[in-house]
Amino acid sequence: EAFAPTSLEIVNDSAKHRGHMGDDGSGESHFTILIEAPAFAHKSRLARQRMVNGALGDIPGDRVHALAIKATAPETTT
């Protein structure tokens, strides 16, 4: 909701990390977020990741061991 995304996909990658460090056995320890939103236009990759982490609050690092973020802006035409 924070970004009014045009596309959002959350992928649970936990099964790929079963038995590795950070796997708490819950099946919800590793995720990838693919998000496209106009709010990311003209922002660096790092700024986009910081924006997403800020919106997630205590989820990364507290309830989720690993989070990959792929944040993009919709392509614009002139």
Side-chain angles (χ1 to χ4, degrees):
E1 290 179 2
F3 305 110
T6 53
S7 175
L8 174 64
E9 183 178 357
I10 300 172
V11 180
N12 186 339
D13 298 317
S14 301
K16 296 178 191 174
H17 301 277
R18 189 170 292 129
H20 297 167
M21 186 177 2
D23 175 25
D24 62 4
S26 70
E28 296 186 347
S29 59
H30 296 72
F31 291 88
T32 298
I33 295 176
L34 306 154
I35 182 170
E36 178 185 273
F40 300 133
H42 310 293
K43 301 277 194 280
S44 70
R45 182 179 60 84
L46 181 57
R48 293 172 184 187
Q49 290 184 349
R50 286 179 175 159
M51 291 168 69
V52 173
N53 277 318
L56 292 173
D58 68 347
I59 293 172
D62 185 28
R63 300 186 330 207
V64 172
H65 173 71
L67 180 64
I69 300 169
K70 297 179 182 174
T72 59
E75 290 189 30
T76 58
T77 57
T78 55

